[in-house]
mmCIF file of all heavy atoms in Angstrom:
data_model
loop_
_atom_site.group_PDB
_atom_site.id
_atom_site.type_symbol
_atom_site.label_atom_id
_atom_site.label_comp_id
_atom_site.label_asym_id
_atom_site.label_seq_id
_atom_site.Cartn_x
_atom_site.Cartn_y
_atom_site.Cartn_z
ATOM 1 N N LEU A 345 102.658 163.604 47.114
ATOM 2 C CA LEU A 345 103.842 163.793 47.962
ATOM 3 C C LEU A 345 105.092 163.903 47.133
ATOM 4 O O LEU A 345 105.199 163.247 46.094
ATOM 5 C CB LEU A 345 103.933 162.562 48.890
ATOM 6 C CG LEU A 345 102.704 162.233 49.698
ATOM 7 C CD1 LEU A 345 102.913 160.916 50.484
ATOM 8 C CD2 LEU A 345 102.422 163.360 50.698
ATOM 9 N N CYS A 346 105.984 164.743 47.592
ATOM 10 C CA CYS A 346 107.243 164.983 46.835
ATOM 11 C C CYS A 346 108.463 164.817 47.673
ATOM 12 O O CYS A 346 108.617 165.573 48.689
ATOM 13 C CB CYS A 346 107.218 166.336 46.140
ATOM 14 S SG CYS A 346 108.698 166.688 45.154
ATOM 15 N N GLU A 347 109.295 163.896 47.391
ATOM 16 C CA GLU A 347 110.622 163.777 48.038
ATOM 17 C C GLU A 347 111.585 164.685 47.350
ATOM 18 O O GLU A 347 111.777 164.575 46.158
ATOM 19 C CB GLU A 347 111.083 162.265 47.960
ATOM 20 C CG GLU A 347 112.571 162.079 48.232
ATOM 21 C CD GLU A 347 113.016 162.529 49.599
ATOM 22 O OE1 GLU A 347 112.259 162.345 50.592
ATOM 23 O OE2 GLU A 347 114.154 163.050 49.711
ATOM 24 N N ARG A 348 112.246 165.572 48.122
ATOM 25 C CA ARG A 348 113.053 166.615 47.502
ATOM 26 C C ARG A 348 114.427 166.781 48.214
ATOM 27 O O ARG A 348 115.098 167.771 48.067
ATOM 28 C CB ARG A 348 112.365 167.975 47.409
ATOM 29 C CG ARG A 348 111.651 168.391 48.659
ATOM 30 C CD ARG A 348 112.522 168.920 49.766
ATOM 31 N NE ARG A 348 113.018 170.243 49.491
ATOM 32 C CZ ARG A 348 114.114 170.772 49.975
ATOM 33 N NH1 ARG A 348 114.872 170.078 50.865
ATOM 34 N NH2 ARG A 348 114.522 171.982 49.678
ATOM 35 N N GLY A 349 114.792 165.678 48.936
ATOM 36 C CA GLY A 349 116.048 165.728 49.684
ATOM 37 C C GLY A 349 115.873 166.258 51.066
ATOM 38 O O GLY A 349 114.999 167.129 51.260
ATOM 39 N N ILE A 350 116.671 165.711 51.948
ATOM 40 C CA ILE A 350 116.605 166.158 53.368
ATOM 41 C C ILE A 350 117.987 166.605 53.780
ATOM 42 O O ILE A 350 119.017 166.277 53.138
ATOM 43 C CB ILE A 350 116.116 165.001 54.270
ATOM 44 C CG1 ILE A 350 116.873 163.726 53.978
ATOM 45 C CG2 ILE A 350 114.597 164.790 54.086
ATOM 46 C CD1 ILE A 350 116.561 162.571 54.913
ATOM 47 N N ARG A 351 118.035 167.325 54.926
ATOM 48 C CA ARG A 351 119.316 167.770 55.467
ATOM 49 C C ARG A 351 120.048 166.608 56.147
ATOM 50 O O ARG A 351 119.470 165.941 57.005
ATOM 51 C CB ARG A 351 119.015 168.824 56.544
ATOM 52 C CG ARG A 351 118.815 170.185 56.032
ATOM 53 C CD ARG A 351 120.131 170.946 56.030
ATOM 54 N NE ARG A 351 119.987 172.148 55.231
ATOM 55 C CZ ARG A 351 119.722 173.330 55.734
ATOM 56 N NH1 ARG A 351 119.605 173.514 57.030
ATOM 57 N NH2 ARG A 351 119.600 174.383 54.934
ATOM 58 N N THR A 352 121.274 166.433 55.792
ATOM 59 C CA THR A 352 122.104 165.449 56.522
ATOM 60 C C THR A 352 123.452 166.126 56.829
ATOM 61 O O THR A 352 123.610 167.330 56.532
ATOM 62 C CB THR A 352 122.343 164.184 55.702
ATOM 63 O OG1 THR A 352 123.181 164.522 54.571
ATOM 64 C CG2 THR A 352 121.073 163.560 55.243
ATOM 65 N N PHE A 353 124.467 165.366 57.300
ATOM 66 C CA PHE A 353 125.727 165.939 57.507
ATOM 67 C C PHE A 353 126.544 166.180 56.242
ATOM 68 O O PHE A 353 127.567 166.837 56.232
ATOM 69 C CB PHE A 353 126.572 165.036 58.490
ATOM 70 C CG PHE A 353 126.539 163.625 58.080
ATOM 71 C CD1 PHE A 353 127.395 163.139 57.077
ATOM 72 C CD2 PHE A 353 125.629 162.708 58.611
ATOM 73 C CE1 PHE A 353 127.342 161.791 56.667
ATOM 74 C CE2 PHE A 353 125.605 161.371 58.234
ATOM 75 C CZ PHE A 353 126.423 160.936 57.257
ATOM 76 N N GLU A 354 126.025 165.684 55.151
ATOM 77 C CA GLU A 354 126.760 165.765 53.858
ATOM 78 C C GLU A 354 126.621 167.194 53.292
ATOM 79 O O GLU A 354 125.534 167.785 53.317
ATOM 80 C CB GLU A 354 126.158 164.752 52.861
ATOM 81 C CG GLU A 354 126.888 164.706 51.511
ATOM 82 C CD GLU A 354 128.375 164.482 51.690
ATOM 83 O OE1 GLU A 354 128.751 163.392 52.022
ATOM 84 O OE2 GLU A 354 129.100 165.460 51.482
ATOM 85 N N THR A 355 127.712 167.702 52.818
ATOM 86 C CA THR A 355 127.670 169.070 52.265
ATOM 87 C C THR A 355 128.009 169.121 50.742
ATOM 88 O O THR A 355 127.959 170.180 50.124
ATOM 89 C CB THR A 355 128.674 169.995 52.986
ATOM 90 O OG1 THR A 355 129.963 169.403 52.909
ATOM 91 C CG2 THR A 355 128.263 170.256 54.425
ATOM 92 N N ALA A 356 128.369 167.938 50.179
ATOM 93 C CA ALA A 356 128.773 167.943 48.778
ATOM 94 C C ALA A 356 127.573 168.258 47.858
ATOM 95 O O ALA A 356 127.722 168.760 46.731
ATOM 96 C CB ALA A 356 129.365 166.577 48.377
ATOM 97 N N THR A 357 126.359 167.935 48.309
ATOM 98 C CA THR A 357 125.169 168.248 47.592
ATOM 99 C C THR A 357 124.320 169.137 48.430
ATOM 100 O O THR A 357 124.473 169.172 49.686
ATOM 101 C CB THR A 357 124.381 166.945 47.214
ATOM 102 O OG1 THR A 357 124.304 166.163 48.389
ATOM 103 C CG2 THR A 357 125.084 166.141 46.115
ATOM 104 N N ARG A 358 123.378 169.838 47.823
ATOM 105 C CA ARG A 358 122.520 170.801 48.558
ATOM 106 C C ARG A 358 121.723 170.085 49.650
ATOM 107 O O ARG A 358 121.575 170.538 50.750
ATOM 108 C CB ARG A 358 121.567 171.412 47.519
ATOM 109 C CG ARG A 358 120.755 172.563 48.096
ATOM 110 C CD ARG A 358 119.904 173.239 47.026
ATOM 111 N NE ARG A 358 119.085 174.319 47.574
ATOM 112 C CZ ARG A 358 118.240 175.057 46.922
ATOM 113 N NH1 ARG A 358 118.138 174.864 45.642
ATOM 114 N NH2 ARG A 358 117.540 175.974 47.483
ATOM 115 N N ASN A 359 121.187 168.915 49.307
ATOM 116 C CA ASN A 359 120.495 168.076 50.287
ATOM 117 C C ASN A 359 120.877 166.634 49.982
ATOM 118 O O ASN A 359 121.692 166.374 49.062
ATOM 119 C CB ASN A 359 118.920 168.210 50.071
ATOM 120 C CG ASN A 359 118.504 169.611 50.567
ATOM 121 O OD1 ASN A 359 118.515 169.976 51.703
ATOM 122 N ND2 ASN A 359 118.109 170.452 49.574
ATOM 123 N N THR A 360 120.322 165.664 50.686
ATOM 124 C CA THR A 360 120.572 164.277 50.427
ATOM 125 C C THR A 360 119.269 163.677 49.992
ATOM 126 O O THR A 360 118.267 163.706 50.714
ATOM 127 C CB THR A 360 121.082 163.565 51.699
ATOM 128 O OG1 THR A 360 122.316 164.157 52.086
ATOM 129 C CG2 THR A 360 121.315 162.070 51.439
ATOM 130 N N LEU A 361 119.258 163.170 48.753
ATOM 131 C CA LEU A 361 118.016 162.613 48.182
ATOM 132 C C LEU A 361 117.738 161.267 48.846
ATOM 133 O O LEU A 361 118.522 160.327 48.716
ATOM 134 C CB LEU A 361 118.113 162.484 46.697
ATOM 135 C CG LEU A 361 116.817 161.996 45.984
ATOM 136 C CD1 LEU A 361 115.641 162.888 46.272
ATOM 137 C CD2 LEU A 361 117.029 161.862 44.504
ATOM 138 N N ASP A 362 116.637 161.169 49.564
ATOM 139 C CA ASP A 362 116.263 159.934 50.233
ATOM 140 C C ASP A 362 115.390 159.101 49.285
ATOM 141 O O ASP A 362 114.141 159.176 49.368
ATOM 142 C CB ASP A 362 115.518 160.298 51.559
ATOM 143 C CG ASP A 362 115.049 159.046 52.271
ATOM 144 O OD1 ASP A 362 115.515 157.946 51.929
ATOM 145 O OD2 ASP A 362 114.241 159.228 53.216
ATOM 146 N N LEU A 363 116.037 158.321 48.466
ATOM 147 C CA LEU A 363 115.279 157.562 47.470
ATOM 148 C C LEU A 363 114.546 156.389 48.138
ATOM 149 O O LEU A 363 113.547 155.885 47.582
ATOM 150 C CB LEU A 363 116.154 157.071 46.330
ATOM 151 C CG LEU A 363 116.390 158.048 45.211
ATOM 152 C CD1 LEU A 363 117.219 157.474 44.104
ATOM 153 C CD2 LEU A 363 115.073 158.586 44.660
ATOM 154 N N SER A 364 115.010 155.983 49.287
ATOM 155 C CA SER A 364 114.317 154.873 49.952
ATOM 156 C C SER A 364 112.913 155.340 50.356
ATOM 157 O O SER A 364 112.032 154.530 50.640
ATOM 158 C CB SER A 364 115.092 154.373 51.176
ATOM 159 O OG SER A 364 115.334 155.406 52.068
ATOM 160 N N ALA A 365 112.732 156.639 50.408
ATOM 161 C CA ALA A 365 111.373 157.160 50.713
ATOM 162 C C ALA A 365 110.346 156.737 49.675
ATOM 163 O O ALA A 365 109.158 156.596 49.986
ATOM 164 C CB ALA A 365 111.422 158.716 50.771
ATOM 165 N N VAL A 366 110.804 156.547 48.443
ATOM 166 C CA VAL A 366 109.837 156.242 47.392
ATOM 167 C C VAL A 366 109.124 154.873 47.600
ATOM 168 O O VAL A 366 107.908 154.875 47.766
ATOM 169 C CB VAL A 366 110.455 156.415 45.977
ATOM 170 C CG1 VAL A 366 109.449 156.027 44.880
ATOM 171 C CG2 VAL A 366 110.974 157.808 45.770
ATOM 172 N N PRO A 367 109.900 153.799 47.591
ATOM 173 C CA PRO A 367 109.179 152.528 47.822
ATOM 174 C C PRO A 367 108.511 152.437 49.152
ATOM 175 O O PRO A 367 107.382 151.843 49.318
ATOM 176 C CB PRO A 367 110.260 151.436 47.663
ATOM 177 C CG PRO A 367 111.566 152.181 47.645
ATOM 178 C CD PRO A 367 111.314 153.586 47.280
ATOM 179 N N MET A 368 109.127 153.103 50.136
ATOM 180 C CA MET A 368 108.465 153.071 51.502
ATOM 181 C C MET A 368 107.107 153.838 51.487
ATOM 182 O O MET A 368 106.125 153.312 51.952
ATOM 183 C CB MET A 368 109.384 153.628 52.525
ATOM 184 C CG MET A 368 108.898 153.606 53.949
ATOM 185 S SD MET A 368 108.325 151.930 54.450
ATOM 186 C CE MET A 368 109.873 151.206 55.047
ATOM 187 N N LEU A 369 107.107 155.024 50.874
ATOM 188 C CA LEU A 369 105.841 155.787 50.819
ATOM 189 C C LEU A 369 104.831 155.020 50.011
ATOM 190 O O LEU A 369 103.623 154.976 50.344
ATOM 191 C CB LEU A 369 106.092 157.170 50.241
ATOM 192 C CG LEU A 369 106.723 158.195 51.151
ATOM 193 C CD1 LEU A 369 107.050 159.479 50.400
ATOM 194 C CD2 LEU A 369 105.786 158.532 52.333
ATOM 195 N N LYS A 370 105.288 154.378 48.911
ATOM 196 C CA LYS A 370 104.331 153.659 48.056
ATOM 197 C C LYS A 370 103.702 152.502 48.841
ATOM 198 O O LYS A 370 102.603 152.097 48.570
ATOM 199 C CB LYS A 370 105.013 153.095 46.824
ATOM 200 C CG LYS A 370 105.550 154.176 45.869
ATOM 201 C CD LYS A 370 104.483 154.994 45.159
ATOM 202 C CE LYS A 370 103.637 154.156 44.207
ATOM 203 N NZ LYS A 370 102.568 154.978 43.629
ATOM 204 N N LYS A 371 104.427 151.964 49.809
ATOM 205 C CA LYS A 371 103.859 150.892 50.648
ATOM 206 C C LYS A 371 102.902 151.506 51.689
ATOM 207 O O LYS A 371 101.809 150.974 51.871
ATOM 208 C CB LYS A 371 105.024 150.160 51.364
ATOM 209 C CG LYS A 371 104.498 149.135 52.375
ATOM 210 C CD LYS A 371 105.657 148.623 53.215
ATOM 211 C CE LYS A 371 105.285 147.527 54.202
ATOM 212 N NZ LYS A 371 104.080 147.688 54.955
ATOM 213 N N LEU A 372 103.269 152.626 52.239
ATOM 214 C CA LEU A 372 102.473 153.168 53.359
ATOM 215 C C LEU A 372 101.243 153.935 52.929
ATOM 216 O O LEU A 372 100.255 154.000 53.648
ATOM 217 C CB LEU A 372 103.333 154.144 54.180
ATOM 218 C CG LEU A 372 104.586 153.578 54.886
ATOM 219 C CD1 LEU A 372 105.398 154.625 55.556
ATOM 220 C CD2 LEU A 372 104.117 152.527 55.935
ATOM 221 N N THR A 373 101.263 154.465 51.685
ATOM 222 C CA THR A 373 100.168 155.298 51.236
ATOM 223 C C THR A 373 99.726 155.009 49.801
ATOM 224 O O THR A 373 100.530 154.489 49.025
ATOM 225 C CB THR A 373 100.562 156.817 51.397
ATOM 226 O OG1 THR A 373 99.389 157.593 51.038
ATOM 227 C CG2 THR A 373 101.723 157.224 50.528
ATOM 228 N N HIS A 374 98.521 155.353 49.530
ATOM 229 C CA HIS A 374 97.992 155.188 48.151
ATOM 230 C C HIS A 374 98.161 156.439 47.331
ATOM 231 O O HIS A 374 97.749 156.527 46.171
ATOM 232 C CB HIS A 374 96.512 154.849 48.223
ATOM 233 C CG HIS A 374 95.780 155.721 49.135
ATOM 234 N ND1 HIS A 374 95.160 156.911 48.699
ATOM 235 C CD2 HIS A 374 95.525 155.735 50.478
ATOM 236 C CE1 HIS A 374 94.611 157.563 49.709
ATOM 237 N NE2 HIS A 374 94.821 156.862 50.836
ATOM 238 N N LEU A 375 98.723 157.524 47.971
ATOM 239 C CA LEU A 375 98.877 158.783 47.269
ATOM 240 C C LEU A 375 100.038 158.741 46.249
ATOM 241 O O LEU A 375 101.005 158.032 46.472
ATOM 242 C CB LEU A 375 99.116 159.934 48.276
ATOM 243 C CG LEU A 375 98.027 160.123 49.298
ATOM 244 C CD1 LEU A 375 98.474 161.124 50.381
ATOM 245 C CD2 LEU A 375 96.693 160.602 48.620
ATOM 246 N N PRO A 376 99.959 159.501 45.148
ATOM 247 C CA PRO A 376 101.087 159.594 44.256
ATOM 248 C C PRO A 376 102.339 160.119 44.878
ATOM 249 O O PRO A 376 102.223 161.062 45.703
ATOM 250 C CB PRO A 376 100.609 160.501 43.106
ATOM 251 C CG PRO A 376 99.143 160.650 43.275
ATOM 252 C CD PRO A 376 98.841 160.333 44.723
ATOM 253 N N VAL A 377 103.492 159.611 44.500
ATOM 254 C CA VAL A 377 104.769 160.053 45.099
ATOM 255 C C VAL A 377 105.665 160.493 43.946
ATOM 256 O O VAL A 377 105.980 159.682 43.045
ATOM 257 C CB VAL A 377 105.447 158.852 45.870
ATOM 258 C CG1 VAL A 377 106.804 159.308 46.437
ATOM 259 C CG2 VAL A 377 104.519 158.367 46.984
ATOM 260 N N ILE A 378 106.158 161.700 43.971
ATOM 261 C CA ILE A 378 107.082 162.169 42.924
ATOM 262 C C ILE A 378 108.412 162.599 43.596
ATOM 263 O O ILE A 378 108.494 162.703 44.824
ATOM 264 C CB ILE A 378 106.473 163.292 42.069
ATOM 265 C CG1 ILE A 378 106.343 164.590 42.902
ATOM 266 C CG2 ILE A 378 105.124 162.919 41.454
ATOM 267 C CD1 ILE A 378 106.142 165.806 42.041
#
Side-chain angles (χ1 to χ4, degrees):
L345 304 174
C346 180
E347 163 60 38
R348 46 77 74 204
I350 49 174
R351 277 267 166 97
T352 66
F353 48 82
E354 184 54 72
T355 54
T357 47
R358 187 175 179 182
N359 291 290
T360 299
L361 183 58
D362 177 14
L363 277 184
S364 58
V366 176
M368 183 52 87
L369 283 172
K370 296 291 295 175
K371 174 189 182 319
L372 297 174
T373 183
H374 48 90
L375 299 172
V377 178
I378 69 165

